[in-house]
Amino acid sequence: ISAAIIIDVGPTMDYRFANESRLDVAKRTASYILDRLPSDSQIAIVASPRNLRLQQGRSGADRALQRLAIEGTASDLPAWTGAAIDLVRSSKLNRREVYV
């Protein structure tokens, strides 16, 4: 599977409920998705359009996910979604998925 997981890292993701930020919840959800993808998947964690690339296997994607942090500017999710779609579309794998 070629998969892109888009995660908002804008200031609103620092909102907390039950002592957990929205970013923490998003990371946990993304980790849940990663755990269910085949080990030979190509995966991109998309939190910005720069340095957008598919990584081989879950371990690199998991490291990228854990490095995510809140940024001081609003996220442009429509642009990121378009970039993620283009990225998975470029994959040679038959199955392509984008998660927002």
Side-chain angles (χ1 to χ4, degrees), residues 1-7 30 33-34 37 41-48 51-58 60-62 64-65 83-84 87-88 97-99:
I1 296 174
S2 176
I5 302 172
I6 302 168
I7 298 181
I33 293 167
L34 287 175
L37 293 174
S41 294
Q42 295 177 339
I43 306 163
I45 302 297
V46 181
S48 139
N51 300 324
L52 194 61
R53 66 184 175 94
L54 289 166
Q55 301 189 33
Q56 298 296 324
R58 295 185 299 225
D62 191 49
L65 180 65
L87 181 66
V88 296
E97 302 174 356
V98 176
Y99 300 89

Side-chain angles (χ1 to χ4, degrees), residues 57-100:
R58 295 185 299 225
S59 62
D62 191 49
R63 284 190 301 275
L65 180 65
Q66 298 313 314
R67 286 192 304 263
L68 292 181
I70 301 294
E71 294 183 1
T73 58
S75 301
D76 186 358
L77 292 178
W80 296 2
T81 303
I85 290 170
D86 290 342
L87 181 66
V88 296
R89 206 179 264 158
S90 71
S91 172
K92 291 184 169 101
L93 298 178
N94 291 330
R95 227 171 123 190
R96 300 172 187 119
E97 302 174 356
V98 176
Y99 300 89
V100 182

